[in-house]
């Protein structure tokens, strides 16, 4: 890109003479207990020249009191009176309500897990306020961005908690026990998907003493599974392997999934706990357990489906609910990070602080620089001053909502 155009693209967010002001609002989504900044990260960013306003009670459900934010140097505002129109940026966990976004100061920045896939309403609200937004789901999974990788930190929490939920619901011990009344065999655990959540589920189940089998379609997963003491179930040896792109699995064909289900049916019949984590970004989760496979499971076994919000790996799981089916408990676990709110927030807040530090403008202390050419920002900058930069994600092919020649239109608008 010519240097002059790049300059047009690079936007700074700052106010003359004063440092950037960030808001930490109370999360409005039902059941959300996490918070986007902790007293630790507030202190860390204030030391870099930023200022904070924290809405009273924002951190309470995660174990962080107002007084601790005050002690870290933040201003506090009353609950329900957050000054959305007076701040330069808002750090959140879930996407804020449209009504709150309507109060944003023009040109402000929003950072959070913004559920960007098909998020036409959110983008329309951001466009109205000419706001910039960073969707943390879209952060590239590259080494340089590891400290900012919210998906990893939260998936780690989910994988851990899924095993605890399964163990608590199971009608058996997990470890092998040798007692005066005889020997108890260890629980057999099946983990579907060996991404971040699946590997943490494997590690947690191993710590509890289970024997763990793991299925994934990415060949690289085998070594990772075995290094954690798991037994790898290789994908069916078909020609149309889903393969991977950018470290993620591609969507499998129905024929491949059919072969995979046949292969997994045998494992499922032997399993006590099944932890489902298989996903393909931006696509429905692969259906790996069907009705007939559930029929083959032993009563008392437990399935925890972390992919339930994307349609589920398992037939019959319902988000946020436990369904009992012929003695098998199906747990639709859609919000596990929020159920470990203190540590999930601590990690999320550190990820966000690392991103904000990355965006600090070295030439303008206390201000941020949004350079869409930056390899970390390029993928996750959802809007820039109201212009949608990820039409491919917001208006996926066939949705009819995108515009033709988005890039050139954006250039024209930026240049105007
Ligand atoms: P994810 O949540 O998108 O998917 C979870 C797992 O499901 C993946 O391992 C995927 O291969 C698997 N899967 C998809 N379809 C399947 C099927 N039909 N059967 C069985 N398994 C299936 O993945 P994630 O946890 O976000 O991690 C994705 C990749 O990114 C991994 O390779 C991970 O190591 C990598 N990663 C890299 C970094 C980094 O370099 N900074 C950080 C985190 C993750």
């Amino acid at each position: 890109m010519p240097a002059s155009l790049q300059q047009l693209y690079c936007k700074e967010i700052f106010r003359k003479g004063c440092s950037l002001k960030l808001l930490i609002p109370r999360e409005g989504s039902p059941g959300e207990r996490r918070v986007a900044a902790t007293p630790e990260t507030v202190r860390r960013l204030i030391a870099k020249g930023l200022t904070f306003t924290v809405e009273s009670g924002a951190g309470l459900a995660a174990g962080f009191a107002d007084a601790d934010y005050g002690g870290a140097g933040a201003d506090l505002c009353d609950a329900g009176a957050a000054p959305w129109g007076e701040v330069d940026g808002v750090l959140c966990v879930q996407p804020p309500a449209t009504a709150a976004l309507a109060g944003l100061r023009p040109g402000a920045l929003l950072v959070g897990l913004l559920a960007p896939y098909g998020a036409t309403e959110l983008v329309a609200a951001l466009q109205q306020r000419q706001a910039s937004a960073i969707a943390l789901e879209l952060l590239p999974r590259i080494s340089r961005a590891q400290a900012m990788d919210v998906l990893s930190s939260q998936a780690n929490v989910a994988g851990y908690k899924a095993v605890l939920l399964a163990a608590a619901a199971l009608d058996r011990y997990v470890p092998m026990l040798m007692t005066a009344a005889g020997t108890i065999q260890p629980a057999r655990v099946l983990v579907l998907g060996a991404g971040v959540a699946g590997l943490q589920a494997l590690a947690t189940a191993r710590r509890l003493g289970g024997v763990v089998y793991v299925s994934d379609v990415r060949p690289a997963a085998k070594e990772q599974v075995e290094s954690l003491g798991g037994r790898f179930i290789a994908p069916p040896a078909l020609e149309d392997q889903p393969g991977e792109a950018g470290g993620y699995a591609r969507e499998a064909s129905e024929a491949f999934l059919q072969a995979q289900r046949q292969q997994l049916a045998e494992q499922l019949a032997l399993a006590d706990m099944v932890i489902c984590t298989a996903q393909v970004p931006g696509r429905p989760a692969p259906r790996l357990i069907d009705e007939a496979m559930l029929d083959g499971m032993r009563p008392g076994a437990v399935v925890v489906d972390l992919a339930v919000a994307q349609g589920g790996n398992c037939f019959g799981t319902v988000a946020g609910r436990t369904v009992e089916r012929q003695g098998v408990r199906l747990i639709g676990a859609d919000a596990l990070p929020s159920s470990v709110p203190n540590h999930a927030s601590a990690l999320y807040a550190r990820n966000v602080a690392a991103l904000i530090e990355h965006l600090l403008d070295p030439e303008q202390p206390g201000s941020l620089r949004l350079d869409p050419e930056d390899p970390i920002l390029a993928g996750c900058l959802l809007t820039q001053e109201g212009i949608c930069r990820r039409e491919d994600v917001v208006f996926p092919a066939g949705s009819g909502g995108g515009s033709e020649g988005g890039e050139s239109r954006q250039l024209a608008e930026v240049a105007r």
Side-chain angles (χ1 to χ4, degrees):
M1 179 186 296
S4 56
L5 279 182
Q6 183 167 350
Q7 272 163 7
L8 284 172
Y9 263 134
C10 281
K11 294 287 175 181
E12 281 163 357
I13 299 184
F14 69 99
R15 288 178 182 190
K16 271 209 158 63
C18 42
S19 56
L20 196 88
K21 193 179 245 186
L22 297 175
L23 170 68
I24 309 303
R26 286 168 80 115
E27 290 293 317
S29 303
E32 183 53 72
R33 302 179 68 202
R34 291 168 293 174
V35 62
T38 59
E40 174 199 310
T41 61
V42 164
R43 185 174 286 115
R44 172 171 151 186
L45 290 176
I46 285 176
K48 303 268 160 132
L50 307 184
T51 61
F52 277 86
T53 300
V54 176
E55 186 174 354
S56 177
L60 210 56
F64 302 106
D66 287 352
D68 296 331
Y69 286 104
D75 294 331
L76 289 159
C77 67
D78 289 344
W84 287 77
E86 293 165 26
V87 294
D88 307 294
V90 179
L91 308 183
C92 58
V93 180
Q94 303 263 358
T98 317
L101 290 179
L104 267 181
R105 187 175 76 74
L109 172 70
L110 178 70
V111 180
L113 282 168
L114 302 180
Y117 296 99
T120 49
E121 256 182 55
L122 173 83
V123 167
L126 293 166
Q127 279 172 336
Q128 272 219 324
R129 307 309 296 157
Q130 296 109 52
S132 300
I134 295 176
L136 295 170
E137 294 92 334
L138 302 176
L139 200 93
R141 312 300 281 280
I142 54 176
S143 320
R144 278 182 58 205
Q146 264 177 9
M148 312 163 200
D149 191 345
V150 163
L151 284 189
S152 286
S153 70
Q154 304 304 293
N156 228 316
V157 177
Y160 159 80
K161 190 67 187 278
V163 172
L164 298 192
L165 280 185
L170 187 65
D171 61 350
R172 292 181 167 177
Y173 276 120
V174 178
M176 186 179 100
L177 289 179
M178 291 163 99
T179 77
T183 300
I184 295 287
Q185 292 305 319
R188 189 164 167 137
V189 183
L190 175 61
V191 178
L192 303 179
V196 179
L199 291 176
Q200 182 54 253
L202 157 61
T204 305
R206 289 278 299 151
R207 275 182 223 122
L208 286 180
V211 175
V212 188
Y213 291 77
V214 184
S215 158
D216 202 301
V217 289
R218 289 180 300 110
K222 181 176 190 294
E223 199 185 323
Q224 293 167 337
V225 167
E226 289 175 350
S227 72
L228 290 168
R231 301 172 194 196
F232 188 66
I233 303 170
L238 294 187
E239 257 181 33
D240 75 335
Q241 295 279 330
E244 59 180 285
Y248 288 106
R250 286 184 200 275
E251 195 170 18
S253 68
E254 187 43 43
F256 181 88
L257 288 176
Q258 180 60 33
Q260 207 183 356
R261 284 192 289 268
Q262 268 175 18
Q263 175 197 47
L264 291 174
E266 226 174 275
Q267 297 287 341
L268 221 66
L270 299 170
D272 296 302
M273 304 183 347
V274 183
I275 312 293
C276 303
T277 75
Q279 299 204 43
V280 178
R283 303 295 309 150
R287 178 52 58 86
L288 299 175
I289 303 176
D290 63 18
E291 234 180 322
M293 292 161 82
L294 283 179
D295 289 343
M297 289 186 75
R298 76 162 185 86
V302 182
V303 179
V304 179
D305 194 348
L306 295 186
V308 66
Q310 281 70 46
N313 290 151
C314 176
F315 172 86
T317 49
V318 181
R321 286 182 48 197
T322 299
V323 178
E324 192 149 335
R325 186 186 180 279
Q326 296 170 22
V328 178
R329 277 183 209 155
L330 308 178
I331 302 177
D334 63 334
L336 292 187
S338 182
S339 73
V340 190
N342 184 275
H343 274 162
S345 301
L347 297 172
Y348 184 95
R350 285 181 199 161
N351 294 145
V352 171
L355 174 64
I356 297 293
E357 283 169 353
H358 174 73
L359 298 177
L360 284 172
D361 188 342
E363 285 155 27
Q364 284 278 356
S367 70
L368 301 184
R369 187 165 185 268
L370 299 186
D371 175 6
E373 295 292 302
D374 174 333
I376 292 179
L377 198 58
C380 59
L381 189 58
L382 188 64
T383 61
Q384 187 173 22
E385 299 200 342
I387 298 164
C388 182
R389 297 198 56 88
R390 290 301 309 265
E391 292 194 344
D392 56 321
V393 167
V394 180
F395 309 103
S399 75
S403 61
E404 275 179 22
E407 178 75 358
S408 52
R409 185 174 62 81
Q410 286 165 13
L411 274 173
E413 288 183 29
V414 170
R416 210 172 285 145

